[in-house]
Amino acid sequence: MTRPLILLTGATGYIGSHTWLALLASGFDVVGVDNFSNSSRETLNRLHRLSGQTPDFVEADVCSAAAMDAVIRGRRVAAAVHFAAFKAVGESASQPLAYYANNVGGLLTLCQAMQANDCKTLVFSSSATVYGNPQQLPIREDAPLSTTNPYGASKLISENMLRDVEQADAAWAIALLRYFNPVGAHESGLIGEDPRGTPNNLMPYITQVAVGQRARLQVFGNDYDTPDGTGVRDYIHVLDLADGHVQALRYLLGQRRGITANLGTGVGYSVLEMVRAFEQASGHPVPFEIVARRPGDIGACYADPSRAREMLGWTAQRGLAAMCADSWRWQSQNPHGMAP
Ligand code: UD1
């Protein structure tokens, strides 16, 4: 049987690289695209070691129509998984045009190249950020959508655009996957989250404190309406997230129908619970101080993951201890991230 070829954009990034391996292990071939704007070439060497095969990779920008057309035209691409996007909320507020250009413009360019080459199956990386400040927990996919920053707006605009594309042409089958908070790393410790500069997200900040690169974690507020007052999130192991993409592709290619689904565990943990779980898993202390709330943060956010279970046959398998142990293995084996 031939292995369907999947185009991954943002393929050397955190979620892209883990999904690449999951697809290869699940009977798909992969062609990866990235411009290394927030990832390292070294990822390709690591993927080679882990998969035992030379990665089929094209260095290109998703905003380049000619490059996207060339990648798809030259191959029999069965579907695309579009990870390539900027994701820093604070930066999006100071550089909104860059976010709309890359996140919305890149998606538009990709979809036009796909359409021109009659490739109409797409998995899109969306985010729980499209739920804004949720009124009800756990969050179902039919909850009201809203955004509070240009990053979130770029995801919601992208979702709306893709819904229009599907409406206009039933040949398209599109999955909108709303990720909660991805953490963890491949069990090998060879690939993981590799942020440039000061991490914006909790887990990479914790691991950098534990490895001794930063003095202490700042906990953004302990006066939320949550059991210990600190923010509660639905952390999901990146390997479970990668499996969610495999299942979404199987669904799209089999059913020829779109789906919007949360990818989360359904369980929320507070910042302090994360710190304690990480200390246990790593055996390293994580000093912290309580500081003011981060502007734009919400108190609690966790998924109702039942739609993904019912329609994709997917549930997260890995618990908090594995998330912390795997994040730590990656960070301790690569104290400065991917070597250049
Ligand atoms: C953030 C973004 C979200 C984006 C997601 C993925 C904001 C407001 N939201 O989600 O739109 O989709 O990242 O990149 O930026 N925390 C600390 N100290 C830290 C870092 C975080 O206490 O140094 C706390 C936060 O207040 C929050 C929790 O840890 O309660 C998780 O934060 P983070 O990892 O940034 O994720 P989100 O805010 O959920």
Side-chain angles (χ1 to χ4, degrees):
M1 238 185 59
T2 56
R3 295 162 63 96
L5 176 62
I6 310 300
L7 167 63
L8 295 192
T9 73
T12 51
Y14 174 42
I15 306 173
S17 56
H18 289 82
T19 302
W20 192 329
L21 287 179
L23 285 168
L24 292 179
S26 305
F28 294 91
D29 280 336
V30 173
V31 54
V33 168
D34 209 305
N35 65 353
F36 301 115
S37 72
N38 192 25
S39 63
S40 164
R41 275 171 218 282
E42 172 62 16
T43 308
L44 295 171
N45 297 330
R46 308 280 174 105
L47 288 171
H48 191 167
R49 273 174 72 183
L50 288 166
S51 68
Q53 64 188 76
T54 308
D56 180 5
F57 178 76
V58 178
E59 183 172 352
D61 190 322
V62 284
C63 294
S64 164
M68 288 305 104
D69 190 67
V71 171
I72 299 171
R73 191 172 297 270
R75 297 169 169 82
R76 292 172 67 92
V77 173
V81 184
H82 182 52
F83 295 109
F86 295 152
K87 58 151 225 168
V89 172
E91 186 182 66
S92 78
S94 57
Q95 301 175 37
L97 293 177
Y99 272 68
Y100 290 116
N102 196 42
N103 293 10
V104 182
L107 174 65
L108 181 59
T109 305
L110 173 68
C111 288
Q112 286 172 327
M114 291 174 71
Q115 181 153 281
N117 291 286
D118 206 28
C119 170
K120 296 183 176 176
T121 306
L122 174 68
V123 177
F124 175 68
S125 293
S126 191
S127 165
T129 195
V130 299
Y131 296 118
N133 194 349
Q135 305 299 304
Q136 272 195 332
L137 293 168
I139 307 173
R140 286 160 41 111
E141 289 83 354
D142 56 6
L145 304 179
S146 68
T147 60
T148 53
N149 56 70
Y151 161 72
S154 76
K155 290 293 174 187
L156 190 49
I157 292 168
S158 296
E159 283 202 3
N160 289 336
M161 188 171 98
L162 292 173
R163 272 188 281 268
D164 289 341
V165 168
E166 246 183 352
Q167 279 281 320
D169 179 356
W172 278 91
I174 300 175
L176 307 178
L177 300 183
R178 295 176 178 155
Y179 310 155
F180 282 68
N181 290 62
V183 297
H186 192 265
E187 304 95 343
S188 64
L190 285 173
I191 55 173
E193 188 169 12
D194 186 22
R196 294 194 176 159
T198 308
N200 295 305
N201 297 116
L202 179 64
M203 184 59 98
Y205 209 107
I206 288 179
T207 61
Q208 290 191 8
V209 170
V211 86
Q213 278 176 17
R214 300 186 188 275
R216 68 184 64 79
L217 172 73
Q218 298 196 317
V219 176
F220 298 142
N222 66 351
D223 56 353
Y224 286 104
D225 185 16
T226 60
D228 66 19
T230 65
V232 166
R233 296 290 184 277
D234 185 337
Y235 297 92
I236 172 170
H237 199 297
V238 66
L239 293 175
D240 282 326
L241 202 57
D243 288 341
H245 290 74
V246 174
Q247 291 305 102
L249 276 168
R250 287 190 173 133
Y251 178 88
L252 295 177
L253 293 168
Q255 307 283 320
R256 300 302 318 154
R257 244 183 312 131
I259 178 171
T260 298
N262 291 335
L263 293 184
T265 65
V267 181
Y269 292 106
S270 74
V271 177
L272 297 182
E273 286 176 310
M274 293 301 286
V275 168
R276 266 180 240 116
F278 184 85
E279 287 180 330
Q280 270 200 341
S282 69
H284 281 250
V286 178
F288 66 87
E289 60 181 338
I290 308 288
V291 300
R293 291 182 178 194
R294 180 170 63 178
D297 262 358
I298 56 178
C301 174
Y302 49 92
D304 177 340
S306 49
R307 185 184 287 178
R309 185 182 66 238
E310 285 154 18
M311 295 184 69
L312 302 179
W314 172 91
T315 45
Q317 303 294 315
R318 296 160 179 90
L320 186 55
M323 298 182 209
C324 293
D326 292 342
S327 291
W328 176 238
R329 188 177 306 107
W330 153 252
Q331 182 74 68
S332 53
Q333 289 181 18
N334 306 267
H336 303 287
M338 290 280 175

